[in-house]
Amino acid sequence: MSSKRILLIIGGGIAAYKSLELIRMLAKRGISSRCILTAGGANFVTPLSVSALSGDKCYSNLFSLDDEAEMGHIELSRSADLLVICPATADLLAKAANGHANDLASTTLLATDKPVLMVPAMNVRMWEHAATKRNVETLRGDGVDVMEPGTGAMACGEFGPGRLPEVEAIADEIESALARQSGPKPLEGRHVLLTAGPTREPLDPVRYLSNHSSGRQGYAIAGALAELGAQVTLVSGPVSIASPRGVDLVSVETAREMMAACEAALPADVFVSVAAVADWRPSSPADRKLKLKDEGKGPPALSLSENPDILSTISRLEKGRPQLVVGFAAETDTVEENALRKRARKGCDWIVANDVSGDVMGGADNEIALVTDAGVENWPRMGKTAVARRLAERIAEDLNGKGKPRIAAE
């Protein structure tokens, strides 16, 4: 990504201040930004702050004598690999959808021959208005990527969809869009089956056994593999995050449902078992809500049955075993030792081990040890997206014979 550049159009909304954070985050990922600041955006951030963070001139005037002497809006529209509008206000969406060109931002959008990513942010009523829905539909029909806004409390005091997505999610989407422009895909023609998220094992109609897995690491890996050209089947337990672009999502709840979905998705070239699958389930879930505090009675007895071992089952297939099977080990102590034992016990090729005693489950970062037949590689703490891309690249190298020779665990 070190040679990639975006043209960032900063619209006039309270979320404009987050564009500064986006510029900084993209720079850390090796992506440079050239910026257009709209008149509305200038009410929230200054040209000086934009210029200082981007390391480039901040553009704003369509009729600048200096810039337009060289047809500046044309040059700007084609000087980057991707145009990003963040925040994309209802006004900017309307202008772009209807071909208006009365300022530098809208003229540049009309003149570009590069991919465009819109990141909406506006009041919930504006986002849900019929006119905005028509404009978004038109833009998507024209090939423009329009992210879904976040949901939550807004500066105006209302609650609902319309918030700017998290900056990290925007940066991830930009990286994905840039990656789609790259040349040959090393995983083109490969099928990857991946599990993610927790499972839920019902106790009764309102309670279940589960864990704190957010699914973020598994979803990031699925997205990274898709970016490299793989056909990805993502079998996911219940999570609250969006499915990555270009991934076939199969939603399940229980371990047995996940096992069945994995078996139905085979054959695959690679199986990546990221999901935090419950080892046990209640033997006889109640069909009515259990009364846990009946007078004169102690707590109800809980009888458990063992769930299918998905990783071990697929690792030991006699026919149709994936070429590469990767398991995950979430540990709270003696991480490497436990991971080595798990690799041998499950029969998989690699184990990705991490210490979840801190803020890893549900957090944005991860620190892993990759266990293979060659030994243990300790990766530094990094964002889960960075972990995902690094692991996806290693998988591609292995499948294409560029990695070290592999001996399956016994």
Side-chain angles (χ1 to χ4, degrees):
M1 291 290 172
S2 58
S3 61
K4 296 294 185 179
R5 170 193 276 177
I6 67 162
L7 177 64
L8 177 62
I9 297 175
I10 303 172
I14 185 62
Y17 77 94
K18 291 189 177 181
S19 64
L20 303 180
E21 184 182 350
L22 178 63
I23 295 169
R24 187 193 300 273
M25 183 174 292
L26 291 174
K28 290 181 179 179
R29 300 187 185 194
I31 302 169
S32 61
S33 303
R34 174 172 281 178
C35 301
I36 292 176
L37 182 62
T38 65
N43 289 308
F44 300 95
V45 297
T46 67
L48 180 60
S49 59
V50 172
S51 179
L53 287 172
S54 67
D56 200 344
K57 178 177 179 179
C58 179
Y59 298 84
S60 58
N61 188 359
L62 175 60
F63 299 108
S64 165
L65 292 177
D66 292 336
D67 299 333
E68 289 305 312
E70 299 179 358
M71 303 298 287
H73 64 285
I74 302 295
E75 192 277 331
L76 276 174
S77 72
R78 300 171 191 178
S79 65
D81 301 288
L82 174 72
L83 270 66
V84 179
I85 299 82
C86 177
T89 61
D91 180 62
L92 280 171
L93 291 174
K95 286 181 176 180
N98 294 282
H100 291 193
N102 62 350
D103 59 11
L104 181 58
S106 56
T107 303
T108 300
L109 281 170
L110 198 61
T112 192
D113 58 355
K114 299 299 174 66
V116 177
L117 171 66
M118 297 269 193
V119 189
M122 65 196 73
N123 171 268
V124 57
R125 304 299 179 197
M126 298 173 73
W127 174 250
E128 294 179 340
H129 195 283
T132 302
K133 290 182 178 179
R134 285 196 303 270
N135 291 333
V136 170
E137 184 178 355
T138 296
L139 288 166
R140 287 174 172 163
D142 291 343
V144 174
D145 285 337
V146 182
M147 288 186 71
E148 288 294 322
T151 298
M154 301 182 179
C156 60
E158 294 188 303
F159 184 96
R163 285 170 56 96
L164 192 77
E166 294 298 322
V167 173
E168 183 179 11
I170 301 169
D172 289 347
E173 188 67 22
I174 290 171
E175 279 199 295
S176 296
L178 292 171
R180 291 194 294 272
Q181 301 174 32
S182 302
K185 307 289 187 180
L187 290 177
E188 197 80 47
R190 301 284 195 170
H191 178 211
V192 180
L193 172 60
L194 185 144
T195 64
T199 59
R200 291 178 178 174
E201 308 298 333
L203 286 163
D204 60 27
V206 298
R207 302 183 182 92
Y208 54 81
L209 300 178
S210 190
N211 57 66
H212 295 295
S213 174
S214 67
R216 292 185 67 176
Q217 186 64 84
Y219 274 52
I221 295 170
L225 291 165
E227 288 175 6
L228 295 184
Q231 174 198 344
V232 180
T233 301
L234 171 59
V235 180
S236 174
V239 298
S240 58
I241 53 179
S243 175
R245 180 189 299 274
V247 167
D248 297 322
L249 177 66
V250 180
S251 297
V252 299
E253 287 216 3
T254 69
R256 286 181 291 179
E257 290 173 351
M258 185 171 282
M259 181 78 256
C262 288
E263 290 175 332
L266 291 171
D269 298 284
V270 182
F271 175 56
V272 186
S273 180
V274 193
V277 183
D279 295 315
W280 301 88
R281 68 180 185 275
S283 300
S284 301
D287 57 4
R288 292 184 294 178
K289 181 182 176 183
L290 293 171
K291 300 299 182 182
L292 300 183
K293 291 187 177 181
D294 284 346
E295 290 186 12
K297 295 182 179 180
L302 184 60
S303 175
L304 298 176
S305 298
E306 190 172 2
N307 270 327
D309 190 327
I310 300 172
L311 176 58
S312 181
T313 299
I314 294 180
S315 293
R316 302 186 188 282
L317 287 174
E318 294 184 5
K319 293 183 179 180
R321 183 192 190 274
Q323 181 179 336
L324 176 64
V325 177
V326 183
F328 270 63
E331 305 290 348
T332 57
D333 59 273
T334 57
V335 174
E336 292 183 19
E337 182 181 336
N338 286 330
L340 286 164
R341 284 201 297 265
K342 182 171 183 177
R343 177 175 177 265
R345 187 173 69 253
K346 301 290 187 178
C348 56
D349 302 304
W350 298 352
I351 283 286
V352 179
N354 60 349
D355 186 339
V356 297
S357 59
D359 61 351
V360 169
M361 276 194 166
D365 297 330
N366 207 348
E367 184 175 347
I368 71 162
L370 177 62
V371 181
T372 70
D373 59 279
V376 180
E377 298 176 22
N378 289 292
W379 295 3
R381 187 177 179 89
M382 63 183 84
K384 289 184 175 178
T385 300
V387 170
R389 289 202 168 92
R390 185 166 174 177
L391 183 62
E393 289 167 1
R394 286 294 301 275
I395 289 172
E397 289 173 0
D398 185 88
L399 291 189
N400 295 323
K402 297 179 180 180
K404 297 178 181 179
R406 175 161 41 80
I407 303 172
E410 296 183 359

